[in-house]
Amino acid sequence: MPDTKIDTDVLIVGSGPVGLFLANECTRRGLRHRIIEARAAQSEHSKALAIFPRTLEIFDMAGVGAPFLDVANRATSVAVMAHGRTLAHMPFAPEDSPYPFIAMVPQNVTERLLVEQLQRNGGKVEYETAFVTAIQHDDYVSVTLDRKGQHMELNAAFVVGCDGAHSPVRHLLNLSFEGAEYHDLFLLADIETNDTLPADQLQLCPHELGPVAIFPMSATRRRIVAMIQDPQGDAPSLDLVREILSQRAPAGIEARALHWSSYFHIHHRHVAQLREGRMFVAGDAAHIHSPFGGQGMNTGLQDVWNLAWKLDLILHGHGNERLLDCYGAERLPVIKSVVGMTD
């Protein structure tokens, strides 16, 4: 309807790294946007950790890269180690990139940096505001939100669900989440360590009891991801982490303190399509897979980098339906490749 008031160009559902990066891109491109988050604040947990060279290049082009380089621990090699032996050592040196390293930045820090950048440019996250439902029209989407128990309505030209693996946006669109769950159980633990292992090296440790991956967050802080047979308690304890490291990790590493830990199952799933009308999904709302490859957050950030310029052109009258279709055509092959590789 020509007299319908459009309240915002892009409604972003979810303020994880993917939603926050899209919000920053909308601000940079002069697009009106609102970003909503059901939680009361940003996550305090480290969660996703590795930022790869292509994502750093994108951050540079988007004008948000410098703070990440300031805080990142730079991993420049990967060692495969088992039973006291180094089976392989692979330098991480991608060709033709100004960033020949993996930037280790905890997700809570990533979110803080992106929120600060958004605020510097006049934006904000609307916390305690949840997506309830939406109705699509030819030229806009009417959306119902819940803010602290009160329903509110708004009209958006486009809606992008960056709202995680349990995405309400994906469920509303009835997009199938194809794939399965692995039977194996894993633990994740962020620990304080000694400085025996190199701060710029990631270790992968195959073992008959299950693999362990050790990611260097700093010289004396590391992320441990390990397959586990018998969980103990609601979350992994420091003693359990020490037991696993003594069995499967390189000699000499000491777990001195536990900052955060969790058990999790790994899924390998992705949607069959990323768009339904004027609504889209990106990041974990569209694809989830093993964290061993470190590609989850990177893939999601690159989803919205691809989508943002398309929405920009459409909203400025320079694109059509075929341009919007290209989002799925370009990103789905990448997503399927990443899911297949980590599988």
Side-chain angles (χ1 to χ4, degrees):
M1 297 173 60
D3 58 348
T4 298
K5 177 176 179 280
I6 305 299
D7 301 295
T8 189
D9 292 330
V10 184
L11 174 66
I12 304 165
V13 183
S15 72
V18 174
L20 289 169
F21 184 47
L22 179 56
N24 275 282
E25 270 300 280
C26 287
T27 300
R28 186 173 73 90
R29 295 173 179 275
L31 305 179
R32 295 182 304 157
H33 76 277
R34 292 174 66 171
I35 176 169
I36 63 170
E37 173 56 58
R39 298 170 301 175
Q42 295 300 133
S43 173
E44 297 178 352
H45 299 309
S46 55
K47 296 183 181 177
L49 181 62
I51 303 178
F52 280 79
R54 177 56 183 161
T55 304
L56 292 171
E57 292 171 16
I58 286 171
F59 277 1
D60 183 28
M61 289 184 280
V64 301
F68 288 88
L69 298 177
D70 290 340
V71 302
N73 184 52
R74 305 183 180 193
T76 58
S77 67
V78 180
V80 181
M81 310 177 74
H83 300 290
R85 297 175 57 204
T86 299
L87 307 180
H89 182 266
M90 297 161 285
F92 189 84
E95 296 180 1
D96 303 321
S97 176
Y99 306 109
F101 54 85
I102 305 170
M104 297 295 181
V105 182
Q107 182 172 322
N108 57 309
V109 177
T110 291
E111 292 185 13
R112 174 176 59 80
L113 294 176
L114 290 173
V115 168
E116 289 172 354
Q117 178 70 18
L118 186 63
Q119 291 172 340
R120 278 193 291 271
N121 291 315
K124 66 176 183 177
V125 179
E126 299 178 39
Y127 295 108
E128 298 182 274
T129 304
F131 175 88
V132 177
T133 191
I135 299 173
Q136 297 208 54
H137 307 273
D138 289 342
D139 299 320
Y140 68 99
V141 184
S142 56
V143 184
T144 302
L145 306 177
D146 182 298
R147 176 171 292 167
K148 299 182 180 180
Q150 299 293 318
H151 276 202
M152 55 186 294
E153 310 289 332
L154 66 82
N155 295 325
F158 296 101
V159 175
V160 185
C162 305
D163 46 348
H166 302 289
S167 170
V169 172
R170 187 187 68 241
H171 284 297
L172 175 72
L173 298 177
N174 198 29
L175 299 177
S176 62
F177 212 25
E178 301 170 358
E181 178 184 276
Y182 297 106
H183 294 298
D184 298 307
L185 181 66
F186 290 81
L187 70 74
L188 180 152
D190 286 349
I191 61 171
E192 203 71 25
T193 70
N194 57 352
D195 60 1
T196 296
L197 297 179
D200 61 352
Q201 184 187 86
L202 187 158
Q203 293 84 32
L204 299 177
C205 306
H207 193 275
E208 54 268 24
L209 295 176
V212 172
I214 304 173
F215 299 87
M217 302 170 74
S218 72
T220 57
R221 186 167 178 172
R222 283 171 171 78
R223 159 75 53 81
I224 309 298
V225 180
M227 185 184 294
I228 184 170
Q229 285 77 34
D230 299 310
Q232 302 172 14
D234 295 332
S237 66
L238 181 59
D239 285 342
L240 178 58
V241 175
R242 285 171 172 164
E243 178 184 340
I244 289 171
L245 293 178
S246 68
Q247 291 171 335
R248 313 183 210 173
I253 183 173
E254 299 175 3
R256 295 180 170 174
L258 179 66
H259 293 286
W260 176 59
S261 66
S262 178
Y263 296 114
F264 64 95
H265 283 278
I266 293 175
H267 296 249
H268 53 105
R269 302 182 186 275
H270 64 80
V271 293
Q273 62 189 69
L274 297 172
R275 171 195 173 213
E276 181 65 45
R278 304 182 76 84
M279 300 180 69
F280 304 82
V281 288
D284 285 355
H287 46 82
I288 53 175
H289 41 79
S290 167
F292 276 94
Q295 292 291 333
M297 182 179 68
N298 289 269
T299 307
L301 292 167
Q302 293 176 35
D303 288 344
V304 293
W305 174 253
N306 180 287
L307 180 60
W309 68 266
K310 295 176 168 65
L311 295 179
D312 188 2
L313 286 178
I314 291 285
L315 287 163
H316 285 96
H318 302 304
N320 55 28
E321 290 287 313
R322 292 180 61 190
L323 181 61
L324 295 180
D325 286 337
C326 284
Y327 170 55
E330 292 166 1
R331 291 306 299 164
L332 272 174
V334 175
I335 289 166
K336 290 177 181 179
S337 175
V338 170
V339 172
M341 179 269 292
T342 56
D343 182 46

